[in-house]
Each structure stands twice: as C-alpha cells, then as structure tokens.
Amino acid sequence: EAQVTQNPRYLITVTGKKLTVTCSQNMNHEYMSWYRQDPGLGLRQIYYSMNVEVTDKGDVPEGYKVSRKEKRNFPLILESPSPNQTSLYFCASSNGYEQYFGPGTRLTVT
Amino acid sequence: EDQVTQSPEALRLQEGESSSLNCSYTVSGLRGLFWYRQDPGKGPEFLFTLYSAGEEKEKERLKATLTKKESFLHITAPKPEDSATYLCAPVGPGGSYIPTFGRGTSLIVHP
C-alpha cells in the first residue's frame, strides 16, 4: 500500500530537549516536505526537499532542521524545542503530479 | 507573493443541497492546483490536480474546475460523509514543486 508514515504520532516533551520526527514514503517520490498546521493559520511549509541531499527552507523554517540522506526518508529535527513549536506536523511526498500526506504528529512542548 | 483565498470559510448544507467552494489565487505561471479533503486531526487526503484553465475532474459527488484566476469545487447532492475541510493549493513556477495552501473551507452536511 502506497503511504507516508510518521513517527511518533503523539509527543509531549519539555523545552530544550532535542527530538526527531521521522517520515518515510514507499512511493519512490522525489519531492518531500514538512508542514505545520495551527488553528487559524492553516498549513505552513517548514522545509522541502527536491531530491536526496537537496533541501530548502519553506515559509517557517526557524527552529527546525531536516536531512535527506535517502530518497524514502525525510526526518524533521527540533534541536531545542520551544512552546511555540507546539503544533500538528505533517510530512508529505509528491511525484510532481500528486501529493500525499502522512497521518500527522501532534507535538506538545511544555 | 503568491496569494490563495478560499471562500466561504464555512458552509453548512442540507443533505442533497448542491453548492460550490471557491479558491482564488494570484500565482503567476501556475503549474498546477491541488484539491484536498481533510478530516479533523488527520492528514489532508489528495483529491485532484488541475493543470490548465478549462480543465475539469470528477470524483463521485465532487467536480473541480479551473480558470486562470480561480478554481471551483462543486459538490452535487452532498451526503453527511462529505463533511470535512476542503483545501486548495496552487503550485507556482520554479524548480520546486511545492504548493501554497489556502486556509480551507469547512463543510458540514446535515442529514
């Protein structure tokens, strides 16, 4: 089954404790991206990747890092999380014609 | 800067009452426009990609159309299970293929 998976689905952490949210796709897509979704603000892009080792900033990249060492994986790293990064995060992958989203990771930073 | 506006923000329909959702955009050099359905707390579900003005695509009770300035999602004889937020996302020119999302239209269909 073609899908985008994210882990963990839910995470509660404390300010400053580094964390990684994993994302994997099994569709051999070149494009992958991370979004955050907040009430009243909609989906905002954090980072995107056009291929292995090629990443670029989206609209709200501050406080986040990504890497694309393999085509199927695109982890999101928060080196020092802060409460304003509490949000619902989505990973997505695309072949340029269709874009598919993961189930989301709900992150709470206290 | 690319702008995407969806209207109305919220829409309540009775089952069987057809209507249309609007997505206006100011993306120059449009490469494509995505439509998604999103249920609360879940990831957006891909519905359609439209590429050029005049194009139409259908899926069950949904039909998406595209002009040079806007796209419409027509819902014919909706059912309660069509209740969701519908998002549009045009894609502009450039080397990346990354869409810009509108805020969405929240649709509730009453039985």
Side-chain angles (χ1 to χ4, degrees), chain A residues 31 35 37 40-43 45 48 50 90 96-99 101-103, chain B residues 34 36 38 41-44 46 49 51 87 95-99 101 103:
Chain A
Y31 302 99
Y35 295 85
Q37 189 171 39
L41 296 177
L43 276 162
Q45 190 185 80
Y48 65 90
M50 295 170 61
F90 292 104
Y97 302 99
E98 300 172 352
Q99 185 182 41
F101 282 78
Chain B
F34 294 134
Y36 295 88
Q38 186 176 25
K42 296 189 176 182
F46 172 79
T49 306
Y51 294 100
L87 302 166
S96 65
Y97 202 90
I98 306 298
F101 280 84
R103 298 279 181 92

Side-chain angles (χ1 to χ4, degrees), chain A residues 38-109:
Chain A
D38 302 289
L41 296 177
L43 276 162
R44 294 180 293 168
Q45 190 185 80
I46 303 170
Y47 268 95
Y48 65 90
S49 170
M50 295 170 61
N51 214 327
V52 175
E53 303 292 2
V54 180
T55 64
D56 207 346
K57 297 177 181 179
D59 299 321
V60 288
E62 292 77 22
Y64 304 95
K65 287 176 58 178
V66 293
S67 68
R68 188 96 181 270
K69 293 182 170 52
E70 304 169 281
K71 196 171 187 178
R72 64 182 290 124
N73 296 322
F74 191 45
L76 179 69
I77 303 159
L78 285 72
E79 295 271 4
S80 183
S82 63
N84 64 10
Q85 292 178 300
T86 293
S87 187
L88 180 58
Y89 291 86
F90 292 104
C91 178
S93 75
S94 173
N95 57 5
Y97 302 99
E98 300 172 352
Q99 185 182 41
Y100 295 93
F101 282 78
T105 295
R106 188 168 293 279
L107 172 66
T108 301
V109 183

Side-chain angles (χ1 to χ4, degrees), chain B:
Chain B
E1 182 179 326
D2 296 343
Q3 297 283 348
V4 185
T5 303
Q6 290 190 246
S7 61
E9 290 186 14
L11 181 63
R12 293 178 181 269
L13 299 173
Q14 288 298 126
E15 185 172 1
E17 179 186 3
S18 301
S19 188
S20 296
L21 313 181
N22 176 265
C23 170
S24 297
Y25 60 90
T26 57
V27 174
S28 58
L30 184 77
R31 294 173 62 187
L33 186 142
F34 294 134
W35 276 100
Y36 295 88
R37 169 201 170 114
Q38 186 176 25
D39 294 301
K42 296 189 176 182
E45 174 190 345
F46 172 79
L47 293 174
F48 307 107
T49 306
L50 302 169
Y51 294 100
S52 59
E55 186 175 4
E56 298 182 352
K57 287 193 176 175
E58 291 188 58
K59 180 179 181 179
E60 296 180 354
R61 295 176 292 282
L62 302 176
K63 183 169 79 172
T65 62
L66 182 66
T67 72
K68 289 186 177 181
K69 296 290 186 184
E70 55 192 350
S71 179
F72 292 93
L73 184 65
H74 307 279
I75 304 176
T76 301
K79 298 182 178 181
E81 53 261 43
D82 294 323
S83 297
T85 295
Y86 290 87
L87 302 166
C88 76
V91 180
S96 65
Y97 202 90
I98 306 298
T100 300
F101 280 84
R103 298 279 181 92
T105 293
S106 175
L107 172 67
I108 297 176
V109 181
H110 295 286

